Amino acid sequence: MAGRFDPLTRAAVRGGRTGVPAGRGAAAGAGAAVRTWRPGGPVDLGLTLGPLRRGPGDPTFRATPDGSVWRTTRTPQGPATLRVAAAGEEVRAEAWGAGSEWILDRLPVLLGSGDDPAAFVPRHRLLHASHRRRPGLRLTRTGLVMESLVPTILEQKVTADEAYRAWRRLVRWYGEPAPGPQDMYVVPGPRTWAMIPSWDWHKAGVDAKRSATIVRAARVAARLEEAAAMEPAQAAARLEAVPGIGPWTSAETLQRSNGDPDAVTTGDLHLPGIVGYALAGNRDADDAAMLELLAPYAGQRHRAARLILLAGRTPPRRVPRMPRSDIGKL
């Protein structure tokens, strides 16, 4: 996967780190449905929900100075805006919109209640240290496929900046204003994705191959959403039945929609070299070498890869950065 992220400056971002300021997150206002939840252990909101953020300026995700994380979503019951803040041993959540009940019901799962960090046994010094420093890391599970699949397709074979720019443009052009007090947007529904004209894909900087893949996925969105309740192998097979969706795209999607701790990303330009360098000093590792190094973490390979990325041990750059472009200007 070409140019998915900058291995020198964005490894931690790729690992799912989103800065959330310290704060207690005072109540945001009237009209919200409210839920409090005691996770029974540390939960780092920035690490847990960070993988759902698609770059700076993501119109569906925001961290505010009071220590709150905001995200919008399109649930089976309709659009919703969720605000989450930690207060002592509790997590307080507020939600707005037709999908507020749906998203609050699934708050614990979203914050990693179905994840089992104790199943991870570090076997390398770097992973032991990274794991120990991040006791609040939980793997999120949204239960929604399309909202993670579309931006992942946009990230195929382009730089992160290009993909994030396309995501911002398309969500603002074709999404809808989010319910609640924040100036945010809800992702378009499948029918809207399928109806975007070719010239707007082009203006957003999305080539015909990626846009066609998104359109094909949108046309079978109901079938793809069923993958959120499937076992990992069956879920990956369901997604990869759509032309243009391969192992890289399915893994990156299922890490978020299904909270799969073993969905290791293959086909990435940088990740094998980072894992190889971190665990064996081999910056030229390929997918096969990466999978061999991660074999002791079978069942937890995605978590291991995230902890490596968060540790920030990346090989020195020795080739020029992938050039950034914007086909929308052509």
Side-chain angles (χ1 to χ4, degrees), residues 174-194:
Y174 286 97
E176 61 186 273
Q182 291 285 326
D183 182 19
M184 300 173 70
Y185 286 82
V186 179
V187 296
R191 178 175 174 80
T192 302
W193 284 120

Side-chain angles (χ1 to χ4, degrees), residues 55-245:
D58 183 348
T60 72
F61 191 104
R62 182 173 299 169
T64 51
D66 67 349
S68 299
V69 174
W70 298 74
R71 68 178 298 262
T72 68
T73 185
R74 185 175 295 278
T75 78
Q77 296 178 357
T81 298
L82 176 71
R83 172 186 173 273
V84 184
E89 297 181 353
E90 287 188 342
V91 173
R92 176 183 172 89
E94 295 170 292
W96 295 259
S100 58
E101 181 180 355
W102 191 94
I103 195 68
L104 289 178
D105 283 347
R106 288 155 182 81
L107 177 69
V109 175
L110 183 70
L111 297 181
S113 67
D115 183 32
D116 182 15
F120 180 78
V121 180
R123 300 180 185 275
H124 295 81
R125 182 175 298 177
L126 178 140
L127 279 166
H128 177 78
S130 185
H131 187 241
R132 178 173 49 81
R133 286 197 296 266
R134 297 171 178 88
L137 171 62
R138 298 291 184 272
L139 300 183
T140 187
R141 179 172 185 168
T142 66
L144 298 168
V145 172
M146 286 296 293
E147 72 174 22
S148 292
L149 177 61
V150 171
T152 301
I153 294 171
L154 291 175
E155 292 164 4
Q156 293 176 346
K157 298 186 182 299
V158 297
T159 65
D161 286 347
E162 291 173 82
Y164 295 155
R165 181 174 61 232
W167 175 247
R168 290 193 300 266
R169 289 174 177 176
L170 291 166
V171 171
R172 289 188 176 121
W173 293 348
Y174 286 97
E176 61 186 273
Q182 291 285 326
D183 182 19
M184 300 173 70
Y185 286 82
V186 179
V187 296
R191 178 175 174 80
T192 302
W193 284 120
M195 298 297 290
I196 294 176
S198 59
W199 52 87
D200 275 352
W201 287 114
H202 182 83
K203 285 192 290 185
V206 182
D207 59 74
K209 184 175 181 180
R210 287 179 293 151
S211 63
T213 301
I214 291 173
V215 170
R216 284 192 291 266
R219 288 173 177 166
V220 293
R223 293 282 289 164
L224 296 183
E225 290 294 351
E226 294 172 359
M230 294 180 176
E231 293 299 313
Q234 289 74 25
R238 176 66 61 90
L239 268 60
E240 292 170 26
V242 178
I245 297 177

